[in-house]
Amino acid sequence: MTDDDDILAAEFALGLLDPAESEAVLRRTQVDAVLSLRIAWWRDQLAPLVTEVETAPPAHFWAKIATGLPVNDNLPIMMKRWRALAVGATGVAAALALYIGSRQPTPIPAPVQPAPMVATLSGDKNPAVVTVSYDSGSGRMMIAPNALSAGKGDVELWIIPEDGKPRSMGVIDVHRPQGHMVPMERRSFVHPGATFAISMEPNGGSPTGLPTGSVIVTGKIIRV
């Protein structure tokens, strides 16, 4: 229930909406139980206030207003509308003042940050160890190689989700840690249980979009 919906429920309960707006609210109440209950709540809260403010003003009050207005054939109809709006607006103002005054501020929960994910890549016959960390909130990945050699070409990082198809995460620098933003179309593949792998590739990376050289280290990513 938003603040706008809350005010809409109050206006509906007081009959301040035009026919089209009222019909739209009625259609919503057929599928929106929260709005329907809020309208009922407002009717209960406003009933005594509306009864009080609907006390008829002296007859000369409206007559005095009428004499001060230009000639208008629709004056009786307009006067009825003005009376309804005056009564309704007074009721809404009084009810909202009570409601706002008694309403306790709703605490805003602190955003929950997803825990980072980490993978340690190693190989049975290779001393290299590569640590890959990933922040799913920002999409930033950090790659820290240790004792990794590219030989005469480059090494390329791959993510392998459950479907078993490797997706390239780019050529990496074997000499120093580096960070980069994972492309949006790749982020859904980086999740706990997925496998990272590094393969030996020609300069510039795989020409086919799939690993072409030997895979030297692998490791699964976990949430920490």
Side-chain angles (χ1 to χ4, degrees):
M1 174 61 64
T2 65
D3 288 343
D4 288 343
D5 280 347
D6 205 6
I7 294 175
L8 180 67
E11 292 176 334
F12 181 82
L14 280 166
L16 298 181
L17 302 179
D18 61 37
E21 292 171 330
S22 296
E23 181 64 27
V25 172
L26 283 174
R27 287 197 299 269
R28 275 192 59 186
T29 58
Q30 296 176 5
V31 295
D32 190 339
V34 175
L35 180 62
S36 181
L37 290 172
R38 199 59 177 172
I39 291 172
W41 182 89
W42 270 113
R43 283 173 173 163
D44 289 342
Q45 299 298 315
L46 295 171
L49 293 171
V50 174
T51 300
E52 181 178 345
V53 299
E54 282 184 348
T55 302
H60 65 80
F61 178 77
W62 298 110
K64 186 176 181 180
I65 294 177
T67 58
L69 295 173
V71 176
N72 191 326
D73 294 337
N74 295 324
L75 184 59
I77 297 175
M78 293 178 63
M79 293 300 290
K80 290 181 181 180
R81 290 179 178 173
W82 290 334
R83 291 178 183 178
L85 288 174
V87 170
T90 305
V92 169
L96 290 180
L98 290 174
Y99 174 65
I100 294 171
S102 62
R103 188 176 185 182
Q104 297 297 321
T106 303
I108 300 176
V112 178
Q113 298 294 334
M117 290 181 275
V118 175
T120 300
L121 284 59
S122 61
D124 294 337
K125 299 179 180 180
N126 196 306
V129 174
V130 180
T131 302
V132 178
S133 60
Y134 177 66
D135 180 0
S136 57
S138 65
R140 184 168 183 79
M141 178 174 289
M142 292 294 298
I143 306 165
N146 180 28
L148 186 63
S149 173
K152 295 182 179 180
D154 281 323
V155 294
E156 191 164 353
L157 179 66
W158 306 84
I159 183 72
I160 308 173
E162 288 83 350
D163 62 6
K165 181 181 178 181
R167 274 83 171 180
S168 176
M169 305 300 283
V171 171
I172 65 174
D173 188 336
V174 299
H175 302 294
R176 61 184 63 85
Q178 65 250 233
H180 68 275
M181 301 300 294
V182 175
M184 291 297 298
E185 66 272 14
R186 291 283 191 264
R187 294 183 185 182
S188 62
F189 301 127
V190 187
H191 55 75
T195 298
F196 277 112
I198 290 179
S199 66
M200 303 291 293
E201 300 295 339
N203 288 325
S206 170
T208 66
L210 292 173
T212 61
S214 59
V215 174
I216 53 177
V217 291
T218 62
K220 287 187 177 296
I221 189 167
I222 61 173
R223 196 177 293 280
V224 297

